[in-house]
Amino acid sequence: MANLYWIPKAWLIPLLPALAFPFIAFITRKARGLSALTAILAIGVSLVISLGVLWEVIAHGITMDNPVEYSTVWLQIPQLLKIEAGLLIDPLSAVMLLVVTLVAFLVEIYSIGYMEDDPGFSVFFAYLSLFGASMLGLVLANNYFMIYFFWELVGLCSYLLIGFWYHRAEAARAGFKAFVVNRLADFGFLLGFFFLFIIFHTFNFRELAAAIPAYHNVGLLTVAALLVFTGPIGKSAQFPLHVWLPDAMEGPTPVSALIHAATMVAAGVYLLARAYVLFASLPNVMLVVAYVGGFTAIFAATIAIAQRDIKRILAYSTISQLGYMVMAMGVGSMTAGIFHLTTHAFFKALLFLAAGSVIHALHEQDIFRMGGLYKDMKVTTVTFIIGALALAGIPPFAGFWSKDEILAAAYHNGFLGLYILGTLVAFLTAFYMFRLIFITFFGERRAGLHGHESPPVMTIPLGILALLSIFAGFVGTPFTARGFSTFVYYAAPHEVEPDYMVMALSTLVALAGIALAWWLYGRPSDLPERLKESYRWAYNLLWNKFYIDEFYLWIYRRIFWGLAEAFHWHDRHVVDGLWDGVGDVTRASGQKLRYLQTGNLQTYALVFFTAVVVIALWMAGMGGMIR
Amino acid sequence: MITLNHYVALSALLFCIGLLGALGKRNAIAILMGIELMLNAVNINLVAFNRFLQPSQVVGQVFALFIILVAAAEVAVGLALVINIYRRRLDTNIEDLNWLKW
């Protein structure tokens, strides 16, 4: 380990964007170009170091069981508490570092074009830098305390960036909603790792990994694991806390791409991978994780087929794909989950940025008011279709390999139900993506909207992400020798066997989805409208997102307000009554007693002196008695 | 022969005069003078006890010096207050100075 060059410099990766944030906020704020340059330079150098780290992890045989850890004690109370600050570098964090820095780098370049006319240009880059720093810190953390610290910081950045256009009421409300929902989940996570600390007296991941298998109080551990799992439920937008992510689309589109598609929402999946020892030792919790993920995947996919807003469709797609990843974790394939996280980061960032390119040109988000855009926006159209093919799981695009690995894992680990469900989701995914494409990019031009291609500063990141969406999957195909599955794994590395049945079925299903989308939306037809009329109730259910928001609102208005009313009454009449009574007694006695105060200093002095005499006499008497 | 009792009696007498002045006088300046008398009575006590009970030590004398110092400071503050009150109200009659009342 003596000749490592890049890995000992890994602490610079989060530090550089962290320094860029105050630098932009305080120094270059007025100079827009300089602000963007600072942010991009910082994340660019981080990207280079991340590449170096990944290269050294591979070259020096650093494996999941044999990671590099740098740690220093941050706070210590002997025998009670020890909080470390440290870096844990293993294949998992090395891959995540590359994904985060790469996507962040491309998104920041894209933002130069997208945010061009925005008065908050510099502030936007400052926030992006802060987000980059927090996310990279989260990835590198070697203990729960530190990961929680950065977990909250990315939550803060998310809040700031969702509400970036805070003068719009919806944006401010969406930021607020995201913050509140995440706060709820984070509190569970906090309790969860406090539980772990109480049991094992450490926050450190590796120490916990060593201690957990030897611990046999399954009940207590199950509670801790379920509480830790609430963190990912909130951050990775799993049912029933998924409600914040679609609203988070009020933020600028680059933010949606970076934070709410590629990186931050994947932090929950990353946490599951980091805490995998805990979950893998508890089959019941794994079952919960698997079914929450599977249900979220199909739930969100069905909502996506009825939405009209281009970004909301992508948001529900993100929720659905995150469900896939969580399901992969639950069925016991951490490799497949992280692999899908990686490829999804590339193609979903691509889809969002391409959608951003459309929004930038049209200032319109309703897909039914677009049409025929391929004539004006060739690059955007092509890259969007590449992203959609990757998402739909058409070979040989990246999404195919990772999604296929999840389905194969579900099938081979005995979750037949989840396998069928996952295949159904693949069908729905292909359908809603190509519905979007046929409506938006093909067909007739709608009146009043004229697209134009975005500047190169936006299309070049699209091109790079498109290449990644095509090729990134090849690191993990079943045909790749010593591929992803021997790199990022839990317990023992294993080669994935190609399962042609699973592959063929998922491809067929995806093609069927595309064909159905074409049949309904790819040609002039009134069939969609007729279907909508005859199945009005189903359409309404999907269009209103299964009324989850309304349900939460109902709970809030009826139950919380009712409780609040009751508490209010109790507070007013019982608590206040008691203390008002005390106050009244005090005031009434004061009313009477105040006549003792004459205001005449000499009277006071007389009383004072008399008291001294009385006390002196009394003490003299006491002295006499003692003697 | 003057004994300790004589000094204590003198001191008590002086203290009573001072107390009577402090409690009974109307004029603020006279009250201050009364307080000074009481402090000096205490001084006599301290010095006398020092001389008759512990002649080898100077504790009582040191205390007396302290009290003189504190008395000087107290008079300075007290006079400043009285002068200010007089400037505002053209009056140093203590019976009119009852604004601390309810």
Side-chain angles (χ1 to χ4, degrees):
Chain A
M1 295 281 165
N3 51 356
L4 293 177
Y5 179 75
W6 292 106
I7 289 179
K9 291 175 182 57
W11 55 276
L12 279 171
I13 298 174
L15 188 67
L16 288 170
L19 291 177
F21 167 62
F23 188 80
I24 295 170
F26 295 119
I27 297 173
T28 66
R29 195 164 175 165
K30 295 273 186 300
R32 295 153 67 93
L34 218 53
S35 301
L37 188 70
T38 311
I40 291 169
L41 213 60
I43 200 77
V45 176
S46 293
L47 171 61
V48 171
I49 302 173
S50 301
L51 277 170
V53 167
L54 183 63
W55 181 76
E56 274 188 350
V57 166
I58 297 169
H60 289 78
I62 291 164
T63 64
M64 294 299 287
D65 319 303
N66 174 28
V68 180
E69 186 172 356
Y70 300 100
S71 188
T72 172
V73 175
W74 176 64
L75 178 83
Q76 189 167 31
I77 302 168
Q79 264 135 49
L80 200 65
L81 183 69
K82 190 176 114 183
I83 300 177
E84 290 170 283
L87 312 179
L88 180 64
I89 294 160
D90 60 4
L92 176 61
S93 51
V95 166
M96 275 300 280
L97 282 181
L98 183 63
V99 170
V100 173
T101 47
L102 186 56
V103 176
F105 180 68
L106 293 173
V107 164
E108 285 185 13
I109 291 177
Y110 175 94
S111 302
I112 298 176
Y114 191 84
M115 301 299 285
E116 198 177 20
D117 306 320
D118 199 284
F121 188 83
S122 292
V123 180
F124 184 74
F125 277 92
Y127 287 167
L128 279 188
S129 295
L130 180 65
F131 171 75
S134 328
M135 188 65 207
L136 292 164
L138 188 155
V139 169
L140 281 168
N142 75 332
N143 61 68
Y144 273 105
F145 197 91
M146 200 171 148
I147 213 170
Y148 183 76
F149 177 82
F150 287 112
W151 184 271
E152 291 294 4
L153 261 182
V154 291
L156 168 72
C157 296
S158 166
Y159 166 77
L160 289 172
L161 284 163
I162 292 169
F164 188 72
W165 291 317
Y166 52 83
H167 47 268
R168 287 194 352 223
E170 308 91 56
R173 259 202 304 274
F176 180 65
K177 184 172 175 183
F179 199 84
V180 170
V181 173
N182 272 298
R183 198 81 280 287
L184 194 68
D186 295 350
F187 186 63
F189 175 31
L190 185 75
L191 285 182
F193 77 81
F194 278 180
F195 253 104
L196 288 178
F197 183 80
I198 290 168
I199 304 172
F200 297 107
H201 305 290
T202 178
F203 289 123
N204 187 291
F205 288 127
R206 289 176 71 199
E207 287 169 21
L208 280 170
I212 286 173
Y215 187 76
H216 292 298
N217 189 343
V218 177
L220 205 55
L221 216 52
T222 303
V223 173
L226 284 175
L227 283 171
V228 169
F229 183 50
T230 55
I233 288 181
K235 197 67 81 201
S236 291
Q238 298 298 295
F239 182 84
L241 295 183
H242 63 282
V243 289
W244 67 273
L245 189 56
D247 287 15
M249 297 300 128
E250 294 294 339
T253 310
V255 170
S256 310
L258 175 61
I259 302 185
H260 303 118
T263 57
M264 186 193 82
V265 290
V269 180
Y270 179 76
L271 176 70
L272 286 178
R274 266 278 164 257
Y276 209 66
V277 185
L278 175 63
F279 291 96
S281 62
L282 299 162
N284 291 331
V285 179
M286 286 291 266
L287 220 57
V288 172
V289 174
Y291 280 98
V292 166
F295 181 73
T296 306
I298 190 140
F299 177 79
T302 50
I303 296 176
I305 61 177
Q307 299 301 309
R308 299 170 64 100
D309 183 316
I310 186 166
K311 283 182 76 182
R312 275 179 189 262
I313 296 173
L314 291 176
Y316 279 107
S317 165
T318 305
I319 297 175
S320 168
Q321 298 299 310
L322 289 165
Y324 256 135
M325 296 173 209
V326 171
M327 184 177 95
M329 295 288 167
V331 300
S333 181
M334 184 249 230
T335 306
I338 296 296
F339 186 30
H340 198 55
L341 190 167
T342 310
T343 58
H344 175 260
F346 296 138
F347 61 69
K348 191 50 72 60
L350 167 63
L351 286 170
F352 266 112
L353 293 187
S357 174
V358 171
I359 296 166
H360 186 65
L362 302 181
H363 300 287
E364 174 61 62
Q365 299 197 10
D366 186 343
I367 54 172
F368 284 100
R369 295 165 78 179
M370 304 174 185
L373 288 177
Y374 77 96
K375 290 165 199 146
D376 306 315
M377 309 180 74
K378 294 243 164 26
V379 182
T380 304
T381 308
V382 170
T383 50
F384 194 95
I385 291 173
I386 290 173
L389 287 170
L391 174 59
I394 303 295
F397 293 94
F400 169 73
W401 303 108
S402 53
K403 184 185 288 189
D404 191 66
E405 200 174 321
I406 294 175
L407 293 177
Y411 183 67
H412 291 294
N413 294 355
F415 293 90
L416 192 63
L418 284 177
Y419 165 69
I420 295 168
L421 195 136
T423 311
L424 198 61
V425 174
F427 170 76
L428 291 173
T429 308
F431 174 70
Y432 65 68
M433 280 318 294
F434 279 84
R435 166 181 175 265
L436 195 167
I437 287 174
F438 287 129
I439 294 172
T440 311
F441 294 103
F442 297 101
E444 290 303 307
R445 276 200 178 118
R446 301 289 195 280
L449 283 175
H450 295 287
H452 58 84
E453 191 54 273
S454 300
V457 75
M458 289 164 74
T459 50
I460 289 170
L462 287 181
I464 296 171
L465 283 168
L467 287 178
L468 285 165
S469 301
I470 299 171
F471 295 112
F474 292 130
V475 300
T477 72
F479 309 107
T480 315
R482 307 209 315 113
F484 199 82
S485 60
T486 56
F487 189 52
V488 177
Y489 56 83
Y490 169 69
H494 57 286
E495 298 281 353
V496 188
E497 295 296 319
D499 186 326
Y500 295 102
M501 190 280 287
V502 172
M503 281 188 197
L505 192 63
S506 69
T507 311
L508 273 179
V509 149
L511 288 173
I514 295 173
L516 182 65
W518 177 80
W519 191 59
L520 283 175
Y521 297 99
R523 58 209 183 102
S525 143
D526 62 344
L527 202 55
E529 282 305 313
R530 290 220 312 274
L531 278 175
K532 193 163 116 182
E533 286 314 314
S534 28
Y535 297 101
R536 189 90 224 166
W537 61 271
Y539 176 79
N540 279 339
L541 199 61
L542 295 181
W543 168 244
N544 289 301
K545 307 152 246 168
F546 290 100
Y547 297 98
I548 299 285
D549 277 325
E550 284 74 10
F551 176 63
Y552 286 164
L553 221 55
W554 180 83
I555 289 186
Y556 173 71
R557 292 223 175 106
R558 300 283 154 208
I559 298 177
F560 281 144
W561 269 95
L563 274 176
E565 290 284 331
F567 282 133
H568 181 246
W569 186 90
H570 176 265
D571 198 49
R572 265 294 116 87
H573 292 95
V574 179
V575 178
D576 282 6
L578 191 64
W579 294 111
D580 281 354
V582 171
D584 286 344
V585 169
T586 311
R587 183 186 295 180
S589 37
Q591 206 61 263
K592 299 282 175 287
L593 286 172
R594 69 175 182 176
Y595 294 109
L596 290 177
Q597 306 286 332
T598 59
N600 189 335
L601 281 173
Q602 286 174 312
T603 315
Y604 297 158
L606 182 62
V607 171
F608 179 71
F609 182 73
T610 314
V612 169
V613 169
V614 169
I615 292 171
L617 286 177
W618 181 71
M619 283 172 79
M622 288 288 287
M625 267 190 280
I626 290 166
R627 196 177 296 137
Chain B
M1 180 68 188
I2 297 170
T3 62
L4 179 57
N5 285 340
H6 293 101
Y7 283 104
V8 174
L10 172 65
S11 163
L13 207 66
L14 203 55
F15 188 83
C16 287
I17 293 169
L19 185 68
L20 221 63
L23 294 184
K25 279 286 179 184
R26 299 256 168 93
N27 191 316
I29 308 250
I31 291 172
L32 278 179
M33 287 162 73
I35 292 171
E36 285 306 304
L37 280 183
M38 285 154 78
L39 285 169
N40 280 319
V42 172
N43 276 349
I44 289 172
N45 245 354
L46 283 168
V47 176
F49 279 118
N50 188 63
R51 168 75 182 74
F52 283 95
L53 299 182
Q54 301 257 290
S56 58
Q57 290 179 1
V58 290
V59 185
Q61 297 181 27
V62 171
F63 263 101
L65 277 174
F66 264 110
I67 289 175
I68 289 166
L69 199 78
V70 170
E74 175 254 313
V75 158
V77 174
L79 275 178
L81 283 173
V82 171
I83 286 167
N84 262 309
I85 291 168
Y86 180 75
R87 279 186 184 160
R88 274 165 177 268
R89 305 211 154 196
L90 290 176
D91 187 10
T92 53
N93 187 345
I94 202 79
E95 304 228 305
D96 298 336
L97 305 180
N98 57 357
W99 332 312
L100 284 178
K101 187 165 65 168
W102 60 90

